[in-house]
Amino acid sequence: MRKYSPLTIISFIFAIVFFLSPLIAASEYSFRGLNGVGHSLINYTWIIHQSGFYNNLAVSLRLAFVTVLLVMVLLVPTVVYLHLGGRKWRRVVEFFCLIPIVIPVVSLAIGAQVAMPKWLQSTSYELCFFYVIVAMPYVYRALDIGLQSIPLQTLVEASQSLGASWFTTLRRVILPAIASAMTGALFITIALTLGEYTLASLLHFRTFPTWVTNVSQENILGAVALSVATLVGAWLILLILAFIPKFKRNRKGVLAHG
Amino acid sequence: MAKDMHGSTVEFEHVTRSFGTVKALNSFSLTLNPGELVTLLGPSGCGKTTALRILAGIDRDYSGKVEIDGKSMKNVNASQRNIGMVFQAYSLFPNMTASENVQYGLRVRGVDSAKREKRADELLEMVGLSTQANRRPNQLSGGQQQRVALARALAIEPRVLLLDEPLSALDAQVRTTLRDEIRRLQTRLGITTLFVTHDQEEAMAISDRVGVMNHGNLEQIDIPGNLYNKPKSTFVAGFVGLTNRIPALVESKGEVMVLNQILEISEHSESVKKGEEVRALVRPENISVEKSSSSLASTVITKSFLGPMTRVGIDVGMDELIYAEMSSKEAKKLDTGDSVKLHIAAEAVMVESV
Ligand SMILES: Nc1ncnc2c1ncn2[C@@H]1O[C@H](COP(=O)(O)OP(=O)(O)OP(=O)(O)O)[C@@H](O)[C@H]1O
Ligand SMILES: [Mg+2]
């Protein structure tokens, strides 16, 4: 048994109280019944029954999907290249990938908007391109760390000397080797896209977050229920993503032995 | 896998590879005969890995000619060369099991999975890892990983096998077993092999011929015995086997004075002038040691037991000790602190300028 110092225990308890008490309070509040009397699920069902729930959720999910696709297609080959032949470009790309962090979203929205082609400005998919920019710093970091942790150059050379093309090497060797880093990047991107409010609102697009903000202004309890649900949902997704690789490994192991 | 692979001929002709101002290979020429195991031996940075990478096709930014079976490799990709390579660093694919690693080359060639698995089983058995087939690289020891890497390289029935210090990360005992195993497999399969190491004992132990490299050049290539006994340059003499470098004085055009003895200057020495202060290269086994009571005598400082032989370090009043090797039986007569007299038991010695 490891011994913990009293200070550790106290700060631990403090942290739990500090983080959990608002959560518990919020959850309790969100389960209140009609007009704050008794307990029920009514606040949770309320949001689902608002008109536009499914439509707007679908929009945001589609945007998330396209954003993930774009950011991965853009950054995975780039970062792989930076780790192989293109080492000299690393500084430059790193710099560009950091810019979105220091640029306020407002100026991004207004500045980049004019650069977008007309046909794109008329569809909500335009947001994907903004989301790609916003997600880039985090995705770049995640992938960069993932690639640093494997002997990329040697693996690529081994794969090629065994007869594999570039594409096969990427698909069968590099991507599986950085799967966990990619999962992390994926999660960040999805979370950013599903929760992004400012850009969508500034550019007058209807997405799930803007819709939620609108409807929940009429119902405080509903808004609280929604944030609790969002939090739990995010935790669930995190858990699932964390367990997928293990699950896959176990399944393979069983097959191989059977 | 009983079927014999046909060894290929490999030829490097005046291959030069520069990194900025550094010439990793400098007009490097080498021919490998079918089925031969040639080792490239040389100090760190002399271009060994570069030579392998160029032959494998991973590095194609060179001038000169590289041919396999008489065909120029100029326009042939690494993935089309059918060359098996085992790398200096661990290189197994981390997301695949040992068996999947071995199957990889066959998989990209479109071999069906039943055949692939059978071949992987055979190869893993050949390298003694049947029971570890379903382990991942991080569940294998260093030696096991390099065995899997060897099996993986052999799985594609390569025309040429390249081994880049495959044993350098392993401990002494595993090294010896594994190197003998590599040699056994290589002879059995008759596959032309280029092996790289900076361990001269390893080179001597497993090679048909050993090429000593220095500054991107092949200094000498010969059978191990000749390399040791008839080095063609002072670099080779110094690099292969332990050599004393003893200060000496050139007496006349062909003679040198070493430890008060006048000896011939052997061929392949560096050119020196009469009266020049030089260093003579003398093997420890060519120095005989006798007890002496003379006041001018030298002193035994160290004594290391090497099994059948014992190495004795002697202070003769120079900066460095002179080492002599003798049978351990003979060495029993000597103790540290003893006064001794040295005699060089050779007619000729190599000399180099200081
Ligand atoms: N990618 C590179 N960029 C710049 N210089 C390089 C590169 N690869 C090799 N070199 C240089 O080329 C020379 C030969 O390198 P090489 O890797 O062939 O040496 P080596 O004989 O394999 O050494 P070691 O025994 O340490 O593995 C070295 O001086 C090295 O610094
Ligand atoms: Mg090397």
Side-chain angles (χ1 to χ4, degrees):
Chain A
M1 269 298 276
R2 255 171 74 188
K3 283 246 160 76
Y4 295 100
S5 76
L7 193 71
T8 316
I9 295 172
I10 289 170
S11 37
F12 194 65
I13 291 172
F14 182 77
I16 288 181
V17 171
F18 190 81
F19 286 112
L20 282 189
S21 54
L23 275 182
I24 293 168
S27 317
E28 194 275 334
Y29 194 51
S30 71
F31 285 112
R32 294 272 175 89
L34 207 58
N35 300 324
V37 186
H39 287 95
S40 77
L41 282 176
I42 167 171
N43 297 317
Y44 286 88
T45 48
W46 166 80
I47 191 82
I48 299 174
H49 290 125
Q50 299 303 301
S51 79
F53 175 86
Y54 292 106
N55 279 348
N56 288 297
L57 186 60
V59 167
S60 275
L61 287 176
R62 274 202 297 271
L63 291 187
F65 179 75
V66 174
T67 307
V68 163
L69 219 64
L70 282 176
V71 85
M72 290 296 172
V73 166
L74 188 69
L75 280 187
V76 170
T78 309
V79 183
V80 168
Y81 172 73
L82 291 179
H83 277 260
L84 292 170
R87 246 164 275 219
K88 54 180 178 257
W89 299 109
R90 221 160 140 174
R91 280 284 159 76
V92 182
V93 176
E94 215 160 86
F95 177 71
F96 275 111
C97 282
L98 280 179
I99 291 180
I101 289 189
V102 293
I103 291 185
V105 186
V106 181
S107 43
L108 181 69
I110 293 158
Q113 169 79 343
V114 289
M116 298 279 180
K118 269 271 157 3
W119 60 268
L120 196 58
Q121 289 188 20
S122 59
T123 117
S124 61
Y125 287 106
E126 181 192 13
L127 281 173
C128 297
F129 292 88
F130 287 99
Y131 293 163
V132 165
I133 297 174
V134 175
M136 222 159 59
Y138 310 101
V139 174
Y140 174 82
R141 280 272 154 251
L143 293 178
D144 189 50
I145 289 168
L147 281 168
Q148 263 169 32
S149 69
I150 59 167
L152 183 67
Q153 175 119 21
T154 315
L155 294 185
V156 168
E157 288 172 358
S159 170
Q160 290 187 325
S161 76
L162 288 166
S165 64
W166 255 110
F167 180 72
T168 310
T169 303
L170 190 69
R171 191 165 70 97
R172 291 211 187 281
V173 176
I174 303 178
L175 295 187
I178 57 166
S180 63
M182 280 179 43
T183 317
L186 193 86
F187 181 72
I188 293 170
T189 313
I190 293 175
L192 271 173
T193 314
L194 289 186
E196 206 290 322
Y197 171 78
T198 325
L199 276 166
S201 150
L202 276 172
L203 297 173
H204 304 294
F205 285 116
R206 238 323 155 66
T207 61
F208 193 62
T210 59
W211 174 81
V212 162
T213 318
N214 262 338
V215 295
S216 60
Q217 272 161 4
E218 304 155 17
N219 181 350
I220 293 298
L221 277 178
V224 175
L226 192 69
S227 35
V228 171
T230 315
L231 202 68
V232 172
W235 275 96
L236 278 180
I237 294 178
L238 249 182
L239 274 180
I240 292 169
L241 289 182
F243 278 106
I244 283 176
K246 275 199 192 129
F247 170 71
K248 262 168 78 183
R249 200 166 303 154
N250 287 344
R251 198 190 48 177
K252 262 194 189 157
V254 169
L255 276 183
H257 286 294
Chain B
M1 282 291 303
K3 115 173 109 168
D4 272 14
M5 298 176 186
H6 260 290
S8 294
T9 313
V10 172
E11 197 157 4
F12 290 87
E13 223 172 284
H14 300 296
V15 175
T16 298
R17 169 62 160 117
S18 318
F19 294 102
T21 54
V22 179
K23 283 200 165 136
L25 287 184
N26 190 0
S27 193
F28 175 83
S29 297
L30 168 69
T31 305
L32 303 186
N33 302 316
E36 191 182 31
L37 192 158
V38 169
T39 296
L40 293 179
L41 177 68
S44 193
C46 69
K48 306 181 295 288
T49 298
T50 306
L52 288 200
R53 290 167 58 86
I54 284 175
L55 181 53
I58 297 164
D59 185 346
R60 294 173 68 192
D61 203 4
Y62 60 90
S63 66
K65 232 164 55 181
V66 177
E67 291 184 351
I68 299 179
D69 289 333
K71 276 207 209 75
S72 165
M73 290 291 114
K74 190 108 216 141
N75 298 313
V76 186
N77 284 334
S79 57
Q80 299 161 340
R81 290 196 185 183
N82 208 32
I83 289 180
M85 183 152 180
V86 177
F87 292 79
Q88 196 164 359
Y90 295 140
S91 64
L92 293 186
F93 305 129
N95 54 301
M96 301 181 200
T97 63
S99 171
E100 286 166 343
N101 263 283
V102 178
Q103 290 175 41
Y104 185 82
L106 302 172
R107 186 171 189 168
V108 302
R109 282 168 174 73
V111 177
D112 69 68
S113 74
K115 245 189 205 157
R116 263 173 14 216
E117 276 163 31
K118 190 160 163 278
R119 280 286 294 287
D121 286 348
E122 287 167 358
L123 281 155
L124 286 171
E125 184 172 351
M126 199 157 84
V127 297
L129 285 179
S130 314
T131 53
Q132 274 87 358
N134 295 316
R135 298 253 186 105
R136 276 167 198 278
N138 59 9
Q139 299 168 317
L140 296 170
S141 73
Q144 290 170 336
Q145 287 188 46
Q146 289 303 65
R147 279 167 210 252
V148 175
L150 179 65
R152 182 177 71 177
L154 289 172
I156 59 172
E157 294 190 17
R159 293 193 283 181
V160 182
L161 183 62
L162 305 179
L163 302 158
D164 191 0
E165 306 197 33
L167 310 174
S168 62
L170 310 176
D171 64 57
Q173 202 169 354
V174 183
R175 280 179 87 119
T176 331
T177 357
L178 200 44
R179 85 176 183 214
D180 293 342
E181 240 168 82
I182 289 174
R183 176 55 159 167
R184 185 176 54 79
L185 278 176
Q186 184 271 336
T187 323
R188 185 173 125 202
L189 301 171
I191 181 170
T192 311
T193 301
L194 191 52
F195 186 96
V196 157
T197 181
H198 56 237
D199 179 336
Q200 41 138 329
E201 189 199 320
E202 200 169 285
M204 298 295 183
I206 70 168
S207 316
D208 291 311
R209 286 189 299 158
V210 178
V212 179
M213 285 184 73
N214 188 20
H215 295 309
N217 240 316
L218 203 56
E219 286 258 339
Q220 183 177 355
I221 178 159
D222 217 327
I223 59 170
N226 283 355
L227 220 50
Y228 188 83
N229 295 317
K230 298 180 199 156
K232 289 210 174 107
S233 70
T234 50
F235 176 81
V236 174
F239 197 78
V240 178
L242 187 71
T243 296
N244 291 296
R245 291 190 146 87
I246 307 173
L249 190 70
V250 180
E251 284 285 304
S252 67
K253 193 161 182 312
E255 284 178 328
V256 69
M257 164 101 99
V258 202
L259 296 176
N260 296 320
Q261 265 177 276
I262 299 215
L263 299 169
E264 269 176 51
I265 295 177
S266 64
E267 57 173 348
H268 306 304
S269 290
E270 287 175 20
S271 64
V272 291
K273 292 191 295 287
K274 182 171 186 252
E276 190 178 335
E277 289 190 13
V278 294
R279 277 183 311 214
L281 276 56
V282 187
R283 299 263 187 223
E285 65 268 24
N286 289 341
I287 295 184
S288 61
V289 183
E290 240 173 77
K291 274 205 181 179
S292 151
S293 48
S294 145
S295 56
L296 287 170
S298 317
T299 321
V300 176
I301 302 290
T302 65
K303 199 175 153 187
S304 5
F305 178 71
L306 306 174
M309 301 292 282
T310 292
R311 184 178 302 153
V312 183
I314 298 144
D315 181 6
V316 296
M318 303 182 318
D319 291 345
E320 285 168 34
L321 297 183
I322 288 180
Y323 289 98
E325 265 176 28
M326 61 202 74
S327 72
S328 294
K329 210 161 152 192
E330 227 175 305
K332 273 193 190 145
K333 289 179 268 177
L334 291 174
D335 256 319
T336 48
D338 282 358
S339 300
V340 290
K341 215 168 70 187
L342 302 187
H343 178 78
I344 297 174
E347 268 148 40
V349 291
M350 275 183 124
V351 297
E352 63 182 14
S353 322
V354 183

